[in-house]
Amino acid sequence: MNLRDSEHMIAELNRNDRYELTDQVSEADLILINTCSVREKPVSKLFSEIGIFNKHRKDGAKIGVCGCTASHLGDEVIRRAPSVDFVLGARNVSKINAVLDRHHAVEVDIDYDESAYAFGDYRNTPLRAMVNITIGCDKSCTYCIVPHTRGEEISIPAHLIEREIEKAVRNGAREVLLLGQNVNGYGRRFGGGAGEDEPRDFTELLRQISRIDGLERIRFQSPHPLHMDDAFLEEFASNPKICKQIHVPLQSGSSRILRAMKRGYTQENFLNRCAKIRTLVPQATISTDVIVGFPGETEADFEETMNVLEAVRFDQMFSFKYSPRPLTEAAELAEQIADSVAGERLTRLQTRHNAILDEVMHAQVGRIHTVYFDELKPGGRIAGRSDDGKLVFVAGSEALLGAIREVRIVKASRGSLDGELV
């Protein structure tokens, strides 16, 4: 979502001036730091980054702090770092040209509605498109700061989503990634510009998007386990344009901890949905998020998370120690877990998952995957993603860019596969 926000900012800037990206800080006229505040570490890193950029920027160059930490800290960013020229919150991306020439401007209104705003056109690659379908979040997970930085959930009108995808397809994209904090919450609330005939749920939106000519692959992230009803999973399984890769955020395998997190489901519910996916689409990959060391987590609670890992055998897992965030209920809970305990649990979890991942990836050798090639690599190689989301490399030139080809896997590592064109 931050990547897409960055594309939107570049597109808006280019309405007034032609900007080119540079890797050299000393050459930049404008330095944008697009921030995340889900965990504490990126927030802590922000101010040291500002100091480095300020030291190396050329005379007249501007620094802007954008994104979720901007929403959270607001004018505190400028109080702590007066060298910052402006602060632009995650819900205010369309205002970037308005703040660019207002010294110490702060725009962080989390109730601002950009759902019907027509952003300018810019993508890092023309071969795939990231498209927002919702903004904000209505959940009340006790560990999460996102509702306080991105505001309430609003669905973007379907005709605007379709128009954006159609334009991306005309410009060369064959794959789209639909984005939202909880994509399968789509349709519950619309902002301005929505008609009465809008799709009223995510499943209906998927059906509508899949009718776009020239669009061959649909991915999405992230759905919420609570809203994975049978109709949605059956559409996921049966629609040939939907890639068979799905992210199912677990957070904890303990029903007691899930209740404390206010996730709305139990371990049993979660395992039921994963079993349904495996039954409908045996070849599907399932990825997840896990937090260890949530306040009050016992060894028994952690073992329940390990049990879910064994039961589902996730193809990818993003796992972290619990990080107390301001404005959240969990930060005020008395039973905070010692960092050393959380760290030891995280190591055990990741070690076991790495072993599972090694087994999963090495089992791919000899199999044939359908791969969409979208990235040229050094050394005469080209990379793409299989239908189920695995990173695949083959020998090839830019002539393969934008092609969808069958590949036989000849070598596997934990993070990627090597193959030969069939």
Side-chain angles (χ1 to χ4, degrees):
M1 293 179 75
N2 271 19
L3 286 171
R4 186 57 181 145
D5 287 347
S6 294
E7 289 181 342
H8 279 150
M9 282 187 270
I10 295 169
E12 289 304 295
L13 289 166
N14 283 338
R15 287 185 190 271
N16 292 353
D17 296 291
R18 293 302 301 174
Y19 280 86
E20 294 181 2
L21 297 177
T22 176
D23 294 327
Q24 301 299 317
V25 174
S26 60
E27 295 178 356
D29 297 294
L30 177 62
I31 301 166
L32 298 176
I33 308 174
N34 196 5
T35 61
C36 175
S37 58
V38 168
R39 291 181 292 134
E40 185 176 7
K41 186 176 179 180
V43 179
S44 302
K45 188 178 178 181
L46 169 63
F47 291 96
S48 64
E49 290 287 296
I50 292 171
I52 293 169
F53 288 136
N54 188 47
K55 180 179 179 181
H56 295 287
R57 67 171 162 174
K58 68 181 181 182
D59 289 344
K62 295 178 180 179
I63 297 177
V65 173
C66 313
C68 284
T69 302
S71 298
H72 162 216
L73 295 180
D75 55 11
E76 184 182 338
V77 173
I78 291 173
R79 287 202 302 272
R80 292 174 61 178
S83 59
V84 170
D85 291 275
F86 61 88
V87 177
L88 188 70
R91 197 69 175 254
N92 300 261
V93 174
S94 61
K95 301 177 184 178
I96 189 164
N97 283 316
V99 300
L100 195 58
D101 295 319
R102 285 167 44 207
H103 185 58
H104 284 177
V106 177
E107 292 285 352
V108 293
D109 180 6
I110 64 169
D111 294 321
Y112 189 68
D113 182 5
E114 291 184 320
S115 62
Y117 182 81
F119 283 96
D121 189 46
Y122 176 86
R123 298 188 187 280
N124 289 316
T125 171
L127 298 177
R128 61 181 182 273
M130 294 180 287
V131 175
N132 292 337
I133 67 167
T134 67
I135 54 178
C137 183
D138 279 352
K139 299 300 182 189
S140 55
C141 302
T142 57
Y143 55 83
C144 187
I145 194 175
V146 168
H148 301 284
T149 62
R150 288 189 176 266
E152 69 178 11
E153 182 181 287
I154 299 178
S155 296
I156 294 173
H159 69 277
L160 297 179
I161 296 170
E162 287 186 271
R163 186 185 306 164
E164 184 176 353
I165 295 173
E166 288 167 350
K167 186 174 183 180
V169 169
R170 287 196 300 272
N171 289 332
R174 300 175 73 179
E175 178 178 296
V176 65
L177 173 63
L178 307 177
L179 296 174
Q181 210 66 40
N182 298 298
V183 288
N184 51 349
Y186 182 86
R188 293 194 303 117
R189 181 193 300 111
F190 289 93
E196 294 184 0
D197 59 345
E198 301 292 345
R200 291 299 161 180
D201 62 34
F202 184 53
T203 303
E204 188 179 339
L205 179 69
L206 286 171
R207 293 190 188 113
Q208 193 164 319
I209 288 172
S210 67
R211 292 194 285 269
I212 294 175
D213 289 338
L215 178 65
E216 299 194 36
R217 288 188 163 195
I218 300 170
R219 300 187 192 273
F220 49 82
Q221 66 181 51
S222 296
H224 194 290
L226 187 61
H227 307 302
M228 289 185 173
D229 58 23
D230 285 353
F232 162 66
L233 292 182
E234 287 161 7
E235 183 68 20
F236 168 76
S238 63
N239 190 325
K241 287 193 176 182
I242 297 176
C243 292
K244 302 310 182 250
Q245 172 191 20
I246 190 165
H247 191 72
V248 192
L250 171 64
Q251 307 304 359
S252 173
S254 163
S255 294
R256 188 181 75 86
I257 295 298
L258 288 170
R259 186 165 56 250
M261 289 177 166
K262 294 187 178 177
R263 289 292 289 167
Y265 53 86
T266 64
Q267 181 198 105
E268 181 182 24
N269 299 146
F270 184 91
L271 289 175
N272 175 275
R273 295 296 80 188
C274 290
K276 180 81 171 180
I277 294 167
R278 297 288 195 210
T279 299
L280 292 172
V281 198
Q283 78 276 20
T285 61
I286 302 176
S287 58
T288 199
D289 301 324
V290 176
I291 297 169
V292 300
F294 184 83
E297 181 188 73
T298 65
E299 181 64 21
D301 291 320
F302 174 70
E303 286 299 329
E304 290 297 303
T305 298
M306 294 293 286
N307 290 342
V308 174
L309 173 61
E310 295 295 339
V312 181
R313 293 174 63 86
F314 299 105
D315 297 86
Q316 190 174 24
M317 181 178 72
F318 303 93
S319 53
F320 307 96
K321 292 185 289 186
Y322 166 73
S323 181
R325 307 307 301 123
L327 308 175
T328 64
E329 290 183 44
E332 306 301 320
L333 295 176
E335 298 179 86
Q336 300 291 321
I337 304 300
D339 186 72
S340 59
V341 174
E344 186 272 336
R345 290 175 183 170
L346 182 63
T347 298
R348 283 159 55 195
L349 178 74
Q350 292 178 341
T351 299
R352 179 57 190 140
H353 180 254
N354 284 339
I356 290 171
L357 188 55
D358 287 340
E359 295 172 12
V360 168
M361 295 298 279
H362 282 95
Q364 306 306 311
V365 174
R367 296 184 181 178
I368 293 176
H369 286 280
T370 304
V371 179
Y372 177 42
F373 292 105
D374 59 7
E375 191 173 2
L376 196 62
K377 295 291 186 179
R381 298 211 301 169
I382 193 165
R385 293 279 173 180
S386 62
D387 178 73
D388 63 357
K390 293 180 176 66
L391 179 61
V392 179
F393 293 88
V394 301
S397 68
E398 61 184 62
L400 272 176
L401 286 174
I404 298 176
R405 299 284 297 274
E406 288 191 339
V407 175
R408 179 178 289 105
I409 304 305
V410 298
K411 182 181 177 182
S413 65
R414 189 175 294 165
S416 64
L417 302 170
D418 286 275
E420 299 172 341
L421 295 175
V422 175

